[in-house]
Amino acid sequence: MPYCGECRLMVDQSINLHLDIPRISVIYLYTENLQDFHRRACKNGLDVPDSDKTFCDMTEFRIEDPDGNRLWIGQAK
């Protein structure tokens, strides 16, 4: 597996409540180079949305794995 640099991990529950499904966990990965992380994810065949600015001054994109686990990848300003 290619080295992607140091990473911090935050585990939290989803802030988006869906009445028909239970709250699920979210894994948030902080990276120092979001563009490179995004490029690598696309290169590996993942369906990756464009990144967005968030209310907490982060730039991030969000993906789900085949099991429904939510992965949010972000970079601080």
Coordinates of all heavy atoms in Angstrom, one line a residue:
M1 N 0.8 -1.2 0.0 CA 0.0 0.0 0.0 C 0.9 1.2 0.0 O 1.8 1.3 0.8 CB -0.9 0.0 1.2 CG -1.7 1.3 1.4 SD -2.8 1.1 2.8 CE -4.3 1.3 1.9
P2 N 0.6 2.2 -0.9 CA 1.4 3.4 -0.9 C 1.3 4.2 0.4 O 0.2 4.3 1.0 CB 0.9 4.2 -2.1 CG -0.2 3.4 -2.7 CD -0.4 2.2 -1.8
Y3 N 2.4 4.9 0.8 CA 2.4 5.7 2.0 C 1.7 7.0 1.7 O 2.0 7.7 0.7 CB 3.9 5.9 2.4 CG 4.0 6.8 3.5 CD1 3.7 6.4 4.8 CD2 4.5 8.1 3.4 CE1 3.8 7.2 5.9 CE2 4.7 9.0 4.5 CZ 4.3 8.5 5.7 OH 4.4 9.3 6.8
C4 N 0.8 7.4 2.5 CA 0.0 8.7 2.3 C 0.4 9.7 3.4 O -0.3 10.7 3.6 CB -1.5 8.4 2.4 SG -2.0 7.4 0.9
G5 N 1.4 9.5 4.2 CA 1.8 10.4 5.2 C 1.0 10.2 6.5 O 0.3 9.3 6.7
E6 N 1.3 11.0 7.5 CA 0.7 10.9 8.8 C -0.8 11.3 8.7 O -1.2 12.1 7.9 CB 1.4 11.9 9.8 CG 0.9 11.8 11.2 CD 1.6 12.7 12.1 OE1 2.8 12.9 11.9 OE2 1.0 13.2 13.0
C7 N -1.5 10.7 9.6 CA -3.0 10.9 9.5 C -3.5 10.8 11.0 O -3.0 10.0 11.8 CB -3.6 9.8 8.7 SG -5.3 9.5 8.8
R8 N -4.5 11.7 11.3 CA -5.2 11.6 12.6 C -6.5 11.0 12.3 O -7.1 11.2 11.3 CB -5.3 13.0 13.2 CG -4.0 13.6 13.6 CD -4.3 15.0 14.2 NE -4.6 15.9 13.2 CZ -5.4 17.0 13.3 NH1 -5.9 17.3 14.5 NH2 -5.6 17.8 12.3
L9 N -7.1 10.4 13.3 CA -8.4 9.7 13.2 C -9.3 10.2 14.2 O -9.0 10.2 15.4 CB -8.2 8.2 13.3 CG -9.4 7.3 13.3 CD1 -10.0 7.3 11.9 CD2 -9.0 5.9 13.6
M10 N -10.5 10.6 13.8 CA -11.6 10.9 14.7 C -12.8 10.0 14.5 O -13.2 9.8 13.3 CB -12.1 12.4 14.5 CG -13.2 12.8 15.3 SD -13.9 14.4 15.0 CE -14.8 14.1 13.5
V11 N -13.3 9.4 15.5 CA -14.5 8.5 15.4 C -15.6 9.2 16.0 O -15.6 9.7 17.2 CB -14.2 7.1 16.1 CG1 -15.4 6.2 16.0 CG2 -13.0 6.5 15.4
D12 N -16.7 9.3 15.3 CA -17.9 10.0 15.8 C -19.2 9.3 15.2 O -19.1 8.4 14.4 CB -17.8 11.5 15.3 CG -18.8 12.4 16.0 OD1 -19.5 12.0 16.8 OD2 -18.8 13.6 15.6
Q13 N -20.3 9.8 15.7 CA -21.6 9.3 15.1 C -22.0 10.2 14.0 O -21.7 11.4 14.1 CB -22.6 9.1 16.2 CG -22.4 8.0 17.1 CD -23.6 7.8 18.0 OE1 -24.3 8.7 18.4 NE2 -23.8 6.5 18.3
S14 N -22.8 9.7 13.1 CA -23.2 10.6 12.0 C -24.1 11.7 12.5 O -24.9 11.5 13.4 CB -24.1 9.7 11.0 OG -24.7 10.5 10.0
I15 N -23.9 12.9 11.9 CA -24.7 14.1 12.3 C -26.0 14.1 11.5 O -26.9 14.9 11.8 CB -23.9 15.4 12.1 CG1 -23.5 15.5 10.7 CG2 -22.8 15.4 13.1 CD1 -22.8 16.9 10.4
N16 N -26.1 13.2 10.5 CA -27.3 13.2 9.7 C -28.2 12.1 10.1 O -27.9 10.9 9.9 CB -26.9 13.0 8.2 CG -26.0 14.1 7.7 OD1 -26.3 15.2 8.0 ND2 -24.9 13.7 7.0
L17 N -29.3 12.4 10.8 CA -30.2 11.4 11.2 C -31.2 11.0 10.1 O -31.7 11.8 9.4 CB -31.1 11.9 12.4 CG -30.3 12.1 13.7 CD1 -31.3 12.8 14.7 CD2 -29.8 10.8 14.2
H18 N -31.3 9.7 9.9 CA -32.3 9.2 8.9 C -33.3 8.3 9.7 O -32.9 7.4 10.4 CB -31.6 8.3 7.9 CG -30.5 9.0 7.2 ND1 -30.8 9.9 6.1 CD2 -29.1 9.1 7.3 CE1 -29.6 10.4 5.6 NE2 -28.6 9.9 6.4
L19 N -34.5 8.7 9.6 CA -35.5 8.0 10.5 C -35.6 6.5 10.2 O -36.0 5.8 11.1 CB -36.9 8.7 10.2 CG -37.0 10.2 10.7 CD1 -38.3 10.7 10.3 CD2 -36.7 10.3 12.1
D20 N -35.3 6.1 9.0 CA -35.5 4.7 8.7 C -34.2 3.8 8.9 O -34.3 2.6 8.8 CB -35.9 4.5 7.2 CG -35.0 5.2 6.2 OD1 -34.2 6.1 6.6 OD2 -35.1 4.8 5.0
I21 N -33.1 4.4 9.3 CA -31.9 3.6 9.7 C -31.3 4.2 11.0 O -31.5 5.3 11.3 CB -30.9 3.7 8.5 CG1 -30.4 5.1 8.3 CG2 -31.4 3.1 7.3 CD1 -29.2 5.2 7.4
P22 N -30.6 3.3 11.7 CA -30.0 3.8 13.0 C -28.8 4.7 12.7 O -28.3 4.7 11.6 CB -29.6 2.5 13.6 CG -29.4 1.5 12.5 CD -30.4 1.9 11.5
R23 N -28.5 5.5 13.7 CA -27.3 6.3 13.5 C -26.1 5.4 13.3 O -26.0 4.3 14.0 CB -27.1 7.2 14.8 CG -28.1 8.3 14.9 CD -27.9 9.1 16.1 NE -26.6 9.7 16.1 CZ -26.4 11.0 16.3 NH1 -27.4 11.8 16.6 NH2 -25.2 11.6 16.2
I24 N -25.2 5.8 12.4 CA -24.0 4.9 12.2 C -22.8 5.8 12.4 O -22.8 7.0 12.5 CB -24.0 4.4 10.7 CG1 -24.1 5.6 9.7 CG2 -25.2 3.5 10.5 CD1 -23.9 5.2 8.3
S25 N -21.7 5.1 12.6 CA -20.4 5.8 12.9 C -19.8 6.3 11.6 O -20.1 5.9 10.5 CB -19.5 4.8 13.6 OG -19.1 3.8 12.7
V26 N -19.0 7.3 11.8 CA -18.2 8.0 10.7 C -16.8 7.9 11.1 O -16.4 8.2 12.3 CB -18.7 9.5 10.6 CG1 -17.8 10.2 9.6 CG2 -20.1 9.5 10.1
I27 N -15.9 7.6 10.2 CA -14.5 7.7 10.4 C -14.0 8.9 9.6 O -14.2 9.0 8.4 CB -13.7 6.4 9.9 CG1 -14.2 5.2 10.8 CG2 -12.2 6.6 10.0 CD1 -13.6 3.9 10.3
Y28 N -13.4 9.9 10.3 CA -12.9 11.1 9.7 C -11.4 11.1 9.7 O -10.8 11.0 10.7 CB -13.4 12.3 10.5 CG -13.4 13.6 9.7 CD1 -14.5 14.2 9.3 CD2 -12.2 14.2 9.4 CE1 -14.5 15.4 8.6 CE2 -12.1 15.4 8.7 CZ -13.3 16.0 8.3 OH -13.2 17.1 7.5
L29 N -10.9 11.1 8.5 CA -9.4 11.1 8.3 C -9.0 12.5 8.0 O -9.5 13.2 7.0 CB -9.0 10.2 7.1 CG -9.4 8.7 7.3 CD1 -9.1 8.0 6.0 CD2 -8.8 8.1 8.5
Y30 N -8.0 13.0 8.7 CA -7.4 14.4 8.5 C -6.1 14.1 7.7 O -5.3 13.3 8.0 CB -7.0 15.0 9.8 CG -8.2 15.4 10.6 CD1 -8.8 14.5 11.5 CD2 -8.8 16.7 10.6 CE1 -9.9 14.8 12.3 CE2 -9.9 17.0 11.4 CZ -10.4 16.1 12.2 OH -11.5 16.4 13.0
T31 N -6.0 14.9 6.6 CA -4.8 14.7 5.8 C -4.2 16.1 5.5 O -4.9 17.1 5.6 CB -5.1 14.1 4.4 OG1 -3.9 13.9 3.6 CG2 -6.2 14.8 3.6
E32 N -2.9 16.1 5.2 CA -2.2 17.4 4.9 C -2.3 17.7 3.4 O -1.9 18.8 3.0 CB -0.8 17.4 5.4 CG -0.7 17.3 6.9 CD 0.8 17.3 7.4 OE1 1.7 17.4 6.5 OE2 1.0 17.3 8.6
N33 N -2.7 16.8 2.6 CA -2.8 17.0 1.1 C -4.0 16.3 0.6 O -4.0 15.2 0.1 CB -1.5 16.4 0.4 CG -1.5 16.9 -1.0 OD1 -2.5 17.2 -1.6 ND2 -0.2 16.9 -1.5
L34 N -5.2 17.0 0.7 CA -6.4 16.5 0.3 C -6.5 16.2 -1.2 O -7.0 15.2 -1.6 CB -7.6 17.4 0.7 CG -9.0 16.9 0.4 CD1 -9.3 15.8 1.4 CD2 -10.0 18.0 0.5
Q35 N -5.9 17.1 -2.0 CA -5.9 16.9 -3.5 C -5.2 15.6 -3.8 O -5.7 14.8 -4.7 CB -5.2 18.0 -4.2 CG -6.1 19.3 -4.3 CD -5.4 20.4 -5.1 OE1 -4.2 20.6 -4.9 NE2 -6.1 21.0 -6.0
D36 N -4.1 15.3 -3.2 CA -3.4 14.0 -3.5 C -4.2 12.8 -3.1 O -4.3 11.8 -3.8 CB -2.0 14.0 -2.9 CG -1.2 12.8 -3.3 OD1 -1.1 12.6 -4.5 OD2 -0.7 12.1 -2.4
F37 N -4.8 12.9 -1.9 CA -5.6 11.8 -1.3 C -6.8 11.6 -2.3 O -7.1 10.4 -2.6 CB -6.1 12.2 0.0 CG -6.5 11.0 0.9 CD1 -5.8 10.6 2.0 CD2 -7.7 10.3 0.6 CE1 -6.2 9.5 2.8 CE2 -8.1 9.2 1.4 CZ -7.3 8.9 2.5
H38 N -7.4 12.6 -2.7 CA -8.6 12.5 -3.7 C -8.1 11.9 -5.0 O -8.8 11.0 -5.5 CB -9.1 13.9 -3.9 CG -10.4 14.0 -4.6 ND1 -10.5 13.9 -6.0 CD2 -11.7 14.1 -4.2 CE1 -11.8 14.0 -6.4 NE2 -12.5 14.0 -5.3
R39 N -7.0 12.4 -5.5 CA -6.5 11.8 -6.8 C -6.2 10.3 -6.7 O -6.6 9.5 -7.5 CB -5.2 12.6 -7.2 CG -4.6 12.1 -8.5 CD -3.2 12.8 -8.7 NE -2.3 12.5 -7.7 CZ -1.6 11.4 -7.5 NH1 -1.8 10.3 -8.3 NH2 -0.7 11.2 -6.5
R40 N -5.6 9.9 -5.6 CA -5.3 8.5 -5.4 C -6.5 7.7 -5.2 O -6.6 6.5 -5.8 CB -4.4 8.3 -4.1 CG -3.0 8.8 -4.3 CD -2.3 8.7 -2.9 NE -1.0 9.3 -3.0 CZ 0.1 8.6 -2.6 NH1 0.1 7.4 -2.3 NH2 1.3 9.2 -2.7
A41 N -7.5 8.2 -4.5 CA -8.8 7.4 -4.4 C -9.5 7.2 -5.8 O -9.9 6.1 -6.1 CB -9.7 8.2 -3.4
C42 N -9.5 8.3 -6.6 CA -10.0 8.2 -7.9 C -9.2 7.2 -8.8 O -9.8 6.4 -9.5 CB -10.1 9.6 -8.6 SG -11.3 10.7 -7.9
K43 N -7.9 7.3 -8.7 CA -7.0 6.4 -9.5 C -7.3 4.9 -9.1 O -7.1 4.1 -10.0 CB -5.6 6.8 -9.2 CG -4.6 6.0 -10.0 CD -3.2 6.5 -9.7 CE -2.2 5.6 -10.5 NZ -0.8 6.0 -10.2
N44 N -7.7 4.7 -7.9 CA -7.9 3.3 -7.4 C -9.3 2.9 -7.7 O -9.8 1.8 -7.2 CB -7.6 3.2 -5.9 CG -6.1 3.1 -5.7 OD1 -5.4 2.2 -6.3 ND2 -5.6 4.0 -4.9
G45 N -10.1 3.6 -8.5 CA -11.4 3.2 -8.9 C -12.6 3.5 -8.0 O -13.7 3.0 -8.3
L46 N -12.4 4.3 -7.0 CA -13.5 4.7 -6.1 C -14.3 5.8 -6.8 O -13.8 6.7 -7.5 CB -12.9 5.2 -4.8 CG -12.2 4.2 -4.0 CD1 -11.6 4.8 -2.7 CD2 -13.1 3.0 -3.6
D47 N -15.6 5.8 -6.5 CA -16.5 6.8 -7.0 C -16.4 7.9 -5.9 O -17.0 7.8 -4.8 CB -17.9 6.3 -7.1 CG -18.9 7.3 -7.6 OD1 -18.5 8.3 -8.2 OD2 -20.1 7.1 -7.3
V48 N -15.7 9.0 -6.2 CA -15.3 10.0 -5.2 C -16.0 11.4 -5.7 O -15.7 11.8 -6.8 CB -13.8 10.2 -5.1 CG1 -13.5 11.2 -4.0 CG2 -13.2 8.8 -4.8
P49 N -16.8 12.0 -4.8 CA -17.3 13.3 -5.2 C -16.3 14.4 -5.1 O -15.2 14.2 -4.5 CB -18.4 13.5 -4.1 CG -17.9 12.7 -2.9 CD -17.2 11.5 -3.5
D50 N -16.6 15.5 -5.6 CA -15.7 16.7 -5.5 C -15.6 17.1 -4.0 O -16.5 16.8 -3.3 CB -16.2 17.9 -6.3 CG -16.1 17.6 -7.8 OD1 -15.3 16.8 -8.2 OD2 -16.9 18.3 -8.5
S51 N -14.5 17.7 -3.7 CA -14.4 18.2 -2.3 C -15.2 19.5 -2.1 O -15.5 20.2 -3.0 CB -13.0 18.4 -1.9 OG -12.4 19.4 -2.8
D52 N -15.6 19.7 -0.8 CA -16.4 20.9 -0.5 C -15.8 21.6 0.7 O -15.2 20.9 1.6 CB -17.9 20.5 -0.1 CG -18.7 20.0 -1.3 OD1 -18.6 20.7 -2.4 OD2 -19.4 19.1 -1.1
K53 N -16.1 22.9 0.9 CA -15.7 23.6 2.1 C -16.8 23.4 3.1 O -18.0 23.3 2.8 CB -15.7 25.1 1.8 CG -14.6 25.5 0.8 CD -13.3 25.6 1.5 CE -12.2 26.1 0.5 NZ -10.9 26.0 1.1
T54 N -16.5 23.2 4.4 CA -17.4 23.0 5.4 C -17.6 24.2 6.3 O -16.7 25.1 6.3 CB -17.0 21.8 6.3 OG1 -15.9 22.1 7.0 CG2 -16.8 20.5 5.4
F55 N -18.6 24.2 7.2 CA -18.8 25.3 8.1 C -17.6 25.4 9.1 O -17.4 26.5 9.7 CB -20.1 25.1 8.9 CG -20.1 23.9 9.9 CD1 -19.7 24.1 11.2 CD2 -20.4 22.6 9.4 CE1 -19.7 23.0 12.1 CE2 -20.3 21.6 10.3 CZ -20.0 21.8 11.6
C56 N -16.9 24.4 9.4 CA -15.8 24.4 10.4 C -14.4 24.7 9.7 O -13.4 24.4 10.2 CB -15.7 23.2 11.2 SG -15.6 21.6 10.3
D57 N -14.5 25.3 8.5 CA -13.3 25.7 7.8 C -12.4 24.6 7.4 O -11.2 24.7 7.4 CB -12.5 26.8 8.6 CG -11.8 27.8 7.7 OD1 -12.2 27.9 6.5 OD2 -10.8 28.4 8.2
M58 N -13.0 23.5 7.0 CA -12.3 22.3 6.5 C -12.7 22.2 5.0 O -13.7 22.7 4.6 CB -12.7 21.0 7.2 CG -12.4 21.0 8.6 SD -10.7 20.6 9.0 CE -10.5 18.9 8.5
T59 N -11.8 21.5 4.2 CA -12.2 21.1 2.9 C -12.2 19.6 2.9 O -11.3 19.0 3.5 CB -11.1 21.6 1.8 OG1 -11.1 23.0 1.9 CG2 -11.5 21.1 0.4
E60 N -13.3 19.0 2.5 CA -13.4 17.5 2.6 C -14.2 16.9 1.5 O -14.9 17.6 0.7 CB -14.1 17.2 4.0 CG -15.5 17.6 4.1 CD -16.2 17.3 5.4 OE1 -15.5 17.3 6.4 OE2 -17.4 17.1 5.4
F61 N -14.2 15.6 1.4 CA -15.1 14.8 0.6 C -15.5 13.6 1.4 O -14.8 13.2 2.4 CB -14.5 14.4 -0.8 CG -13.3 13.5 -0.7 CD1 -13.4 12.1 -0.8 CD2 -12.0 14.1 -0.6 CE1 -12.3 11.3 -0.8 CE2 -10.9 13.2 -0.6 CZ -11.0 11.9 -0.7
R62 N -16.6 13.0 1.1 CA -17.2 11.9 1.8 C -17.5 10.7 0.9 O -18.0 10.9 -0.2 CB -18.5 12.3 2.5 CG -18.2 13.5 3.4 CD -19.5 14.0 4.0 NE -19.3 15.2 4.8 CZ -20.2 15.8 5.6 NH1 -21.5 15.3 5.5 NH2 -19.9 16.8 6.3
I63 N -17.1 9.5 1.4 CA -17.4 8.3 0.6 C -17.9 7.3 1.5 O -17.8 7.4 2.8 CB -16.1 7.8 -0.1 CG1 -15.0 7.5 0.8 CG2 -15.7 8.8 -1.2 CD1 -13.7 7.0 0.2
E64 N -18.6 6.3 1.0 CA -19.0 5.1 1.7 C -18.4 3.9 1.1 O -18.3 3.7 -0.1 CB -20.5 4.9 1.7 CG -21.3 5.9 2.5 CD -22.7 5.6 2.6 OE1 -23.2 4.5 2.3 OE2 -23.5 6.5 3.1
D65 N -18.0 2.9 2.0 CA -17.5 1.7 1.5 C -18.6 0.7 1.2 O -19.8 1.1 1.5 CB -16.4 1.1 2.4 CG -17.0 0.5 3.7 OD1 -18.2 0.4 3.8 OD2 -16.2 0.2 4.6
P66 N -18.4 -0.4 0.6 CA -19.5 -1.3 0.2 C -20.3 -1.8 1.4 O -21.5 -2.2 1.2 CB -18.8 -2.5 -0.5 CG -17.5 -1.9 -1.0 CD -17.1 -0.9 0.0
D67 N -19.8 -1.7 2.6 CA -20.5 -2.2 3.8 C -21.3 -1.0 4.4 O -22.0 -1.2 5.4 CB -19.6 -2.7 4.8 CG -18.9 -4.0 4.4 OD1 -19.7 -4.8 3.7 OD2 -17.8 -4.2 4.6
G68 N -21.3 0.2 3.8 CA -22.0 1.3 4.3 C -21.3 2.2 5.3 O -21.8 3.1 5.9
N69 N -20.0 1.8 5.6 CA -19.2 2.6 6.5 C -18.9 4.0 5.9 O -18.5 4.0 4.7 CB -17.9 1.9 6.9 CG -18.2 0.6 7.6 OD1 -18.8 0.6 8.6 ND2 -17.7 -0.5 7.0
R70 N -19.1 5.0 6.6 CA -18.9 6.4 6.1 C -17.4 6.8 6.4 O -17.0 6.8 7.5 CB -19.9 7.3 6.7 CG -21.2 7.0 6.2 CD -22.2 8.0 6.7 NE -23.5 7.7 6.1 CZ -24.6 8.3 6.4 NH1 -24.6 9.2 7.3 NH2 -25.8 7.9 5.9
L71 N -16.8 7.3 5.4 CA -15.4 7.8 5.5 C -15.4 9.2 5.0 O -15.8 9.5 3.9 CB -14.4 7.0 4.6 CG -14.4 5.5 4.9 CD1 -13.6 4.8 3.9 CD2 -13.9 5.2 6.3
W72 N -15.0 10.1 5.9 CA -14.9 11.5 5.6 C -13.5 11.9 5.6 O -12.8 11.6 6.6 CB -15.7 12.4 6.5 CG -17.2 12.2 6.5 CD1 -17.9 11.3 5.8 CD2 -18.1 12.9 7.4 NE1 -19.2 11.4 6.1 CE2 -19.4 12.3 7.0 CE3 -18.1 13.9 8.3 CZ2 -20.6 12.8 7.7 CZ3 -19.2 14.3 8.9 CH2 -20.5 13.8 8.6
I73 N -12.9 12.5 4.5 CA -11.5 12.8 4.4 C -11.5 14.3 4.3 O -12.1 14.9 3.5 CB -10.9 12.1 3.2 CG1 -10.9 10.6 3.4 CG2 -9.4 12.5 3.1 CD1 -12.1 10.0 2.8
G74 N -10.7 15.0 5.2 CA -10.6 16.4 5.2 C -9.3 17.0 5.5 O -8.4 16.3 6.0
Q75 N -9.1 18.3 5.1 CA -7.9 19.0 5.3 C -8.3 20.4 5.9 O -9.2 21.1 5.4 CB -7.1 19.2 4.0 CG -5.9 20.0 4.2 CD -5.1 20.1 2.8 OE1 -5.5 19.5 1.8 NE2 -4.1 20.9 2.8
A76 N -7.6 20.8 7.0 CA -7.8 22.1 7.6 C -7.3 23.2 6.7 O -6.3 22.9 5.9 CB -7.1 22.2 9.0
K77 N -7.8 24.3 6.8 CA -7.4 25.5 6.0 C -6.0 25.8 6.2 O -5.4 25.7 7.2 CB -8.3 26.7 6.3 CG -8.0 27.8 5.4 CD -8.9 28.9 5.7 CE -8.5 30.2 4.9 NZ -9.4 31.3 5.1

